[in-house]
């Protein structure tokens, strides 16, 4: 376990999809913030498994981080079906995963993080939560321009101006590769947290919960599975990847 002291004056809202990255962010937030709530967005994802994963990962924190679990407050799910209807992609429809004319994968939902952060900022304001936390990451570059730190910085500035108060957005995974994200989870919660993420978080774009691997469930061949599997293999090697 790491020995970071939480700041009792702070509270946070974690953008929580139930995937590996946001599960790690939730544990990271519980370690640092007195009060933590989660928000998920239902924008017509093809797979209800993602919503199931959210519940299982949240509940699993009670056995993995028992000393921190009382910090975990309510979960919120925001219906963004209208956004999903506009931003139809390989994640929300039956389109194949491929690269489009801009060089972006068809799994890219245009403006997704900008929309999520706007809703999250409004919710955090209503709930009295001081900080937004998201698992955006630009290291394992997957072609998503709204995951870059400069996009997040611009969004933080826009929200701070628009809400007339500071809206900090923390992205603890921004500079980490997937192997380092596994290492961070291990540092926070040991093997039990890694096992929770392996068993109950969901990352596979195809929603595959039938095929079990050392790194979790998934088809094993979609871009999300490939990243997760390669990161796990790198981390699990003798000598472990540090953070
Ligand atoms: Zn997959």
């Amino acid at each position: 376990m790491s020995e970071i002291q939480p700041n009792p004056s702070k509270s946070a809202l974690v953008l929580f999809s139930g995937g590996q990255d946001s599960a790690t962010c939730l544990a990271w937030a519980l370690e640092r913030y007195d009060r933590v709530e989660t928000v998920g967005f239902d924008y017509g994802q093809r797979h209800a498994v993602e919503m199931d994963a959210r519940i299982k990962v949240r509940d699993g924190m009670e056995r993995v981080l028992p000393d921190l679990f009382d910090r975990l407050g309510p979960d919120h799910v925001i219906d963004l079906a209208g956004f999903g209807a506009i931003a139809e992609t390989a994640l929300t429809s039956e389109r194949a995963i491929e690269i489009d004319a801009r060089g972006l994968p068809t799994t890219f939902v245009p403006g997704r993080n900008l929309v999520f952060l706007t809703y999250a900022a409004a919710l955090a304001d209503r709930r009295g939560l001081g900080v937004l936390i998201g698992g955006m990451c630009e290291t394992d570059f997957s072609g998503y321009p709204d995951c870059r730190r400069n996009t997040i910085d611009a969004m933080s500035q826009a929200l701070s101006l628009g809400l007339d108060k500071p809206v900090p957005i923390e992205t603890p995974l921004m500079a980490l590769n997937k192997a380092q994200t596994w290492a961070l989870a291990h540092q926070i919660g040991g093997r039990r947290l890694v096992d929770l993420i392996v068993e109950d978080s969901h990352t596979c774009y195809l929603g595959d919960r039938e095929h079990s691997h050392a790194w979790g469930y998934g088809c094993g061949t979609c871009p999300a599975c490939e990243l997760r599997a390669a990161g796990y293999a790198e981390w699990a090697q003798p000598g472990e990847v540090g953070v």
Side-chain angles (χ1 to χ4, degrees):
M1 302 276 181
S2 56
E3 295 180 6
I4 294 157
Q5 294 301 311
N7 182 337
S9 67
K10 284 190 173 179
S11 55
L13 179 64
V14 177
L15 281 72
F16 184 63
S17 70
Q20 176 190 353
D21 291 347
S22 67
T24 306
C25 282
L26 176 57
W28 186 89
L30 289 170
E31 216 179 25
R32 285 164 179 75
Y33 291 93
D34 235 18
R35 189 159 63 93
V36 177
E37 299 186 11
T38 51
V39 61
F41 301 97
D42 185 351
Y43 55 101
Q45 292 101 320
R46 286 184 297 186
H47 310 296
V49 291
E50 192 167 305
M51 287 293 159
D52 290 344
R54 300 179 73 258
I55 295 165
K56 286 181 179 163
V57 170
R58 268 182 55 97
D59 290 350
M61 292 293 173
E62 184 165 20
R63 68 172 189 276
V64 171
L65 299 172
D67 297 342
L68 304 177
F69 187 70
D70 63 356
R71 297 175 174 185
L72 183 57
D75 181 37
H76 311 271
V77 175
I78 296 176
D79 182 353
L80 292 181
F83 176 67
I86 298 168
E88 191 177 295
T89 73
L91 288 187
T92 53
S93 69
E94 296 303 321
R95 284 171 61 182
I97 297 171
E98 54 196 26
I99 303 298
D100 73 8
R102 279 176 297 184
L104 292 173
T106 49
T107 49
F108 174 65
V109 182
R112 174 170 58 176
N113 280 326
L114 309 182
V115 172
F116 286 2
L117 287 165
T118 303
Y119 275 83
L123 177 64
D125 185 75
R126 283 289 183 260
R127 300 289 303 167
L129 301 166
V131 177
L132 305 181
I133 299 175
M136 300 82 169
C137 168
E138 63 183 11
T139 304
D140 286 320
F141 185 66
S142 49
Y144 293 3
D146 60 345
C147 288
R148 294 183 297 211
R149 187 62 227 187
N150 56 5
T151 301
I152 303 301
D153 285 341
M155 199 64 198
S156 175
Q157 188 179 9
L159 290 167
S160 299
L161 288 167
L163 275 66
D164 198 23
K165 66 171 200 181
V167 182
I169 304 173
E170 296 200 56
T171 53
L173 311 185
M174 185 58 76
L176 305 186
N177 62 31
K178 281 286 179 290
Q180 291 170 320
T181 299
W182 285 110
L184 177 61
H186 190 263
Q187 179 190 309
I188 295 169
R191 188 70 222 185
R192 284 187 300 179
L193 180 57
V194 171
D195 287 345
L196 173 68
I197 292 170
V198 165
E199 276 299 311
D200 291 324
S201 77
H202 183 81
T203 311
C204 174
Y205 286 148
L206 302 183
D208 186 322
R209 298 294 297 174
E210 289 175 24
H211 298 95
S212 173
H213 313 266
W215 44 268
Y217 288 90
C219 71
T221 56
C222 76
C225 281
E226 284 181 353
L227 266 180
R228 179 164 161 152
Y232 188 89
E234 186 186 341
W235 169 72
Q237 281 174 2
E240 266 183 35
V241 176
V243 178

